[in-house]
Structures are given as C-alpha cells and as structure tokens.
Amino acid sequence: MGYIPASFISSYADDDTGQVVKDKFSELQAAGASMVEMSKMPAAPARPSGINGSTEGWARYIELHKDFPYIDGASVLASDKVLIYNQRGYTKPTRMTEQAVQDYIKYRTDYKEVIKGWMDENGVDAVVYAGFISDVYNNDASASQLSSDRNTGVLTSNVGLPTVVVPVGTNDSGYSVSMQLVGRAWDDAKVLGMGYALEQQSHARLLTAYAPALQYVSNPTTPDPVDNEPSNPGPGGGTVTPPVTATPTPTPAPTATPAPAATATPTPKPEVVSFTDTLNHWAKASIDLLISKGLLTGYADGSFRPDAGLTRAEAIKVITTHMGLDGQASNFTDVSGAHWANKYIGAAASAGLMNGYSDGSFRPNAKISRSELATLITRAFKLTGTGNTTFKDVKKEAWYYNSIDALASNKIITGYADSTFKPERYYQSRVCNSGFQITGDCELRGSIHKRQGHPEKDGFSPVFKTSGQACSERIWR
C-alpha cells in the first residue's frame, strides 16, 4: 500500500487531521498491508482541448432513455427539483465533436498507463490518501478548493481509477476521518476487497445525529426506463423542459372504523432512551440498556457518538455509579466544580480507584487506554492474579502488570492472537465488544452485545457483582 507523505498535509489548516489518518495505517497493516512511501505522482499527459465530459455524458445518457423528463444535462442542473445550493443557471450546452471524444478517450487511456507504471515502479497494489486533511468543511468555489479540504492530489474521476473510501475513526474534534484507497484501472474487485479488509479492522462507521434516516419506499409499478429507443433531439438542441408531473391519485373517502374492544391497561415499560446516531448501530440494544441504567448519557447535541472512544471520565462514571459511591468534589486542577464528572472523579480518587498525573491534572476528556481500564476494574473489584501472565508487550516491571495479570488470571481478558495485549491502545468505542463469559455465581446485569464475526472490536461494558462475587466478563479480545 503506497502513500505520499505530502498528501496528508493541509495548506488550509493545521489541526492534525492528516496525521490522525496516518496514525490509522496500523489498521491497514493489521488487514495485511505493507506500507510503502512513494514519491510524488508523475506528470499527467497533455490534456486535449474541447473536452466537456459532463455535457457529453448527460447527452448520451438521455439519448438512451426515451421518457427522460429533461432535454439535456444543463436542464437537470437548472431544475427547481435540484437542491438549491447545487442549482445552476441554464446555459445551452454544446456537445463534444467525435474527434474530441476520441482525443479524450486516448488521454484517459494514456493517463491510466502513466499511473500503472508509477505503481509498478514502486511495487504497490494501491495508494492510500486521506479522505479529509483538515476540519475545513466548506466549499470554497472562489479558490477552487475541493469539498472538505480534500485537496490531496488523489486521482479518481479525472483518470477513471477504482477507489473506495472507508471511515477509520475520528480526529480530536470528533469529526469522522477516512482513508481513500485508489488502485490501477480495472482493479475494481481487488480495491473493493482491500476496502472491506480495512473496514473489518476499523469498524468506524458514524451515523449523523442531525438528520433522520431516510425511509425506502418501493415503487415497482414504475421502474426506471432503461435502454429504450432514442427519442430526444441530437447534440445541442432544446431548451429547459420541465419535469413530467405525475397525475395525482384520488384519495379514497375514509370509512368508519369500529371501536376496538376494551383491553386491560398494560404495565408501563421504562422509557428507552435512544439517539439518532445509534438507530442502525450494531450495539443499539446495549447502548439503550446502558442509558436506561444511568451508566452513560448522550451529548448536549442529542447524539451518543458510540464510536468516539471511551474517556477517562466516562469510565469513572460507569464504575462509581455501579458501586454506589457517594459523589465528592474533585481536587484535580483540570476538573472544575462545573465539570459534569466532578463528583464521580472525586469519589473515584477518594476510593483509590484512579489517580491523576504528577502535574495535578486528571485529564478527564482523554481516551482511556487498555492498561488504565484494566487497573480501574482490578481496583474496583479487588481482583488478584497469579503472576503468570506473559503477554509479549506487558513487562513485569510495568506499573500496570499486576492489573493485567489479575484480569488475565480471572479470564476476563485473553489478549490478541499475536500474544500481545496492546496496553497503551485507546478504546475506539463507547460500547462493548463481542463475546463474553461469566464465571462464579453471579448475575449478568451489564450491557454485553454479542457481535458475530467481529471479535477484534474494542469496547467496554460495566462489570457487576452479586453475593460478593465478581462477574468475570471477557470484555476485551
């Protein structure tokens, strides 16, 4: 997998978004890729004159569709049916000459060969770019800046190369970041396979919290016209033609509905709190349960952000709430009295569950690492180990060894297939992962969501105990 370091640097903003994407190269490597630094892309062949691919493309499409409601592509873009910020004034289009079409085809064919030679020379199967390289989320037409600061130099439509875009997490501002994989011409299936492999590592899809999901409405009685005989005029003809308006179907008169027989009033169920960005999430049921128990809450904007990562403050709230610890004021320098987690952090510190840093701070909004969470759970439930844990990346002299050893000894964690634990890795989800087991005489009251086929998903779920015994849940792979 090739990459060009300069393509991850924005000329508009310095907010480390490009670096965040580069940091996710580890997920490409986990999917089987080797990373190869590449030189700048070679120069393109000379672009011929007289090219207007959009106009020609619309014209050829319309010619093949007998009942298409517009006379040309410019009419489509000038229609009041188009979203207002995409509408354009109508200008009569001029189609390309046959010579211009052939010149354009040759240009694209030659360009494909240039890219293939460049990739062959560097020994790569595909090239990765950042989907976004900053938080500049505006279309700046005057500067010809591409949407969302995607001015990375990536080649797609100009050449005709297969490409996939895969979300890989969020940056420090909480915005989704993605990788764009681009392959040689006609390697569509191979590039799609790479995208799926990356997706299985990242599991980073985010759903918007600001727009409801669209409902699919089937209309099989009026299929799209395909491959009908040509009926529209040839090159350059016509004016704006309004879209065909369907004849409305009369609404039938309402009929009386008999009153239903009286039934017993059902027992009220607890209100289930849900969020727009969890509607189609794989762990929706678990999230609703966590919310209903008061262990986690959403954000002020109405979102839950299930894949935004678990913070130190959120982990503290889950544990202290379950343990029933009384809230206490925090003395950490960066946890003000107005901070939402002040009393939970104070209670945890007083109970010796979690310490701050040497500078007097707690860093409540920092993502919690696997080693920190291991220590928190071990202290909360007074777990001990055997001293026999041997993860390759967990040394016995490390401050977190005893905690990880305790969890491994109690079969709460198993580590990764390569015999590592990755103690410094941060959690990329606010919810739990796949697979769990319970030992001892205890009741599972936490939120565990079994996700078939995705055992590598990091996550967290509260551990509960009854009758003095701890529920040993395998909350990590």
Side-chain angles (χ1 to χ4, degrees):
M1 184 67 64
Y3 70 98
I4 305 171
S7 71
F8 292 84
I9 301 173
S10 171
S11 59
Y12 291 83
D14 182 17
D15 57 12
D16 295 329
T17 297
Q19 183 60 47
V20 169
V21 179
K22 287 184 67 176
D23 291 343
K24 297 292 185 177
F25 281 0
S26 59
E27 295 180 352
L28 278 172
Q29 293 169 313
S34 298
M35 305 307 298
V36 177
E37 183 174 331
M38 300 177 70
S39 58
K40 188 176 180 181
M41 192 169 46
R47 183 181 175 92
S49 60
I51 293 177
N52 191 335
S54 176
T55 293
E56 187 64 26
W58 272 113
R60 294 190 178 209
Y61 177 85
I62 293 171
E63 286 176 348
L64 294 174
H65 294 76
K66 179 179 180 181
D67 296 322
F68 195 78
Y70 296 90
I71 200 70
D72 53 39
S75 300
V76 177
L77 297 176
S79 169
D80 60 2
K81 302 297 183 183
V82 176
L83 292 174
I84 190 168
Y85 52 81
N86 283 332
Q87 286 180 14
R88 303 178 188 175
Y90 179 79
T91 301
K92 185 177 179 179
T94 301
R95 289 190 56 175
M96 295 170 60
T97 65
E98 183 58 32
Q99 183 60 52
V101 170
Q102 295 305 316
D103 290 345
Y104 188 39
I105 292 174
K106 183 179 186 304
Y107 162 75
R108 288 169 63 92
T109 300
D110 292 346
Y111 208 163
K112 289 180 175 70
E113 287 301 312
V114 169
I115 298 303
K116 179 180 182 299
W118 174 56
M119 294 176 67
D120 289 346
E121 181 181 344
N122 285 273
V124 301
D125 297 293
V127 183
V128 58
Y129 294 86
F132 309 121
I133 49 177
S134 81
D135 280 348
V136 180
Y137 285 96
N138 294 311
N139 289 321
D140 186 355
S142 63
S144 299
Q145 171 65 3
L146 297 177
S147 175
S148 302
D149 198 3
R150 296 184 61 195
N151 193 22
T152 61
V154 61
L155 289 170
T156 52
S157 59
N158 288 341
V159 187
L161 303 176
T163 181
V164 294
V165 180
V166 180
V168 292
T170 57
N171 63 11
D172 291 341
S173 301
Y175 287 114
S176 175
V177 295
S178 58
M179 288 186 192
Q180 184 166 359
L181 311 183
V182 181
R184 295 173 178 79
W186 317 119
D187 276 356
D188 301 56
K190 182 184 294 186
V191 173
L192 186 62
M194 295 175 188
Y196 276 122
L198 174 58
E199 184 182 52
Q200 295 306 304
Q201 296 297 326
S202 62
H203 299 300
R205 182 182 68 156
L206 292 179
L207 298 179
T208 177
Y210 304 100
L214 297 178
Q215 292 185 342
Y216 172 74
V217 179
S218 176
N219 188 14
T221 60
T222 56
D224 291 335
V226 178
D227 216 17
N228 294 317
E229 293 182 2
S231 64
N232 284 291
T239 57
V240 177
T241 303
V244 175
T245 304
T247 304
T249 303
T251 303
T255 58
T257 302
T263 57
T265 303
T267 303
K269 294 182 179 180
E271 180 183 1
V272 177
V273 182
S274 194
F275 300 89
T276 55
D277 57 349
T278 65
L279 292 177
N280 297 314
H281 196 273
W282 59 267
K284 180 181 184 300
S286 299
I287 293 167
D288 288 345
L289 183 59
L290 285 168
I291 296 296
S292 68
K293 291 182 177 293
L295 295 172
L296 285 177
T297 59
Y299 291 85
D301 62 3
S303 66
F304 183 80
R305 306 177 195 174
D307 299 312
L310 187 73
T311 67
R312 286 164 56 88
E314 289 171 334
I316 285 292
K317 179 187 176 182
V318 170
I319 293 295
T320 57
T321 300
H322 166 68
M323 296 179 68
L325 299 181
D326 293 331
Q328 298 186 35
S330 164
N331 295 321
F332 294 106
T333 56
D334 58 346
V335 182
S336 68
H339 193 283
W340 68 267
N342 180 286
K343 64 177 183 179
Y344 303 112
I345 294 172
S350 178
L353 299 181
M354 202 166 186
N355 301 319
Y357 293 85
S358 58
D359 61 359
S361 67
F362 183 80
R363 304 175 194 174
N365 300 322
K367 300 296 188 292
I368 192 167
S369 67
R370 290 166 60 85
S371 58
E372 290 173 332
L373 190 54
T375 302
L376 177 59
I377 293 174
T378 301
R379 291 172 179 172
F381 298 103
K382 298 180 171 58
L383 301 176
T384 58
T386 61
N388 297 323
T389 299
T390 57
F391 293 116
K392 291 191 297 187
D393 57 349
V394 179
K395 305 299 181 183
K396 284 203 172 186
E397 59 270 20
W399 65 267
Y400 44 72
Y401 175 82
N402 289 336
S403 297
I404 294 173
D405 174 55
L407 295 185
S409 299
N410 285 275
K411 303 188 185 306
I412 297 175
I413 56 173
T414 59
Y416 289 83
D418 61 356
S419 298
T420 63
F421 180 75
K422 298 178 174 50
E424 302 303 331
R425 181 174 179 175
Y426 294 109
Y427 277 86
Q428 298 173 0
S429 175
R430 298 185 71 205
V431 291
C432 51
N433 73 330
S434 69
F436 61 90
Q437 62 185 30
I438 310 169
T439 61
D441 179 20
C442 60
E443 173 191 6
L444 178 65
R445 297 174 55 211
S447 169
I448 296 289
H449 185 98
K450 188 173 183 180
R451 188 179 186 213
Q452 295 287 355
H454 302 291
E456 73 284 353
K457 179 70 177 180
D458 278 336
F460 171 75
S461 182
V463 179
F464 293 87
K465 61 179 180 178
T466 59
S467 304
Q469 295 189 4
C471 285
S472 298
E473 304 171 7
R474 192 173 65 208
I475 58 176
W476 294 304
R477 182 182 173 192

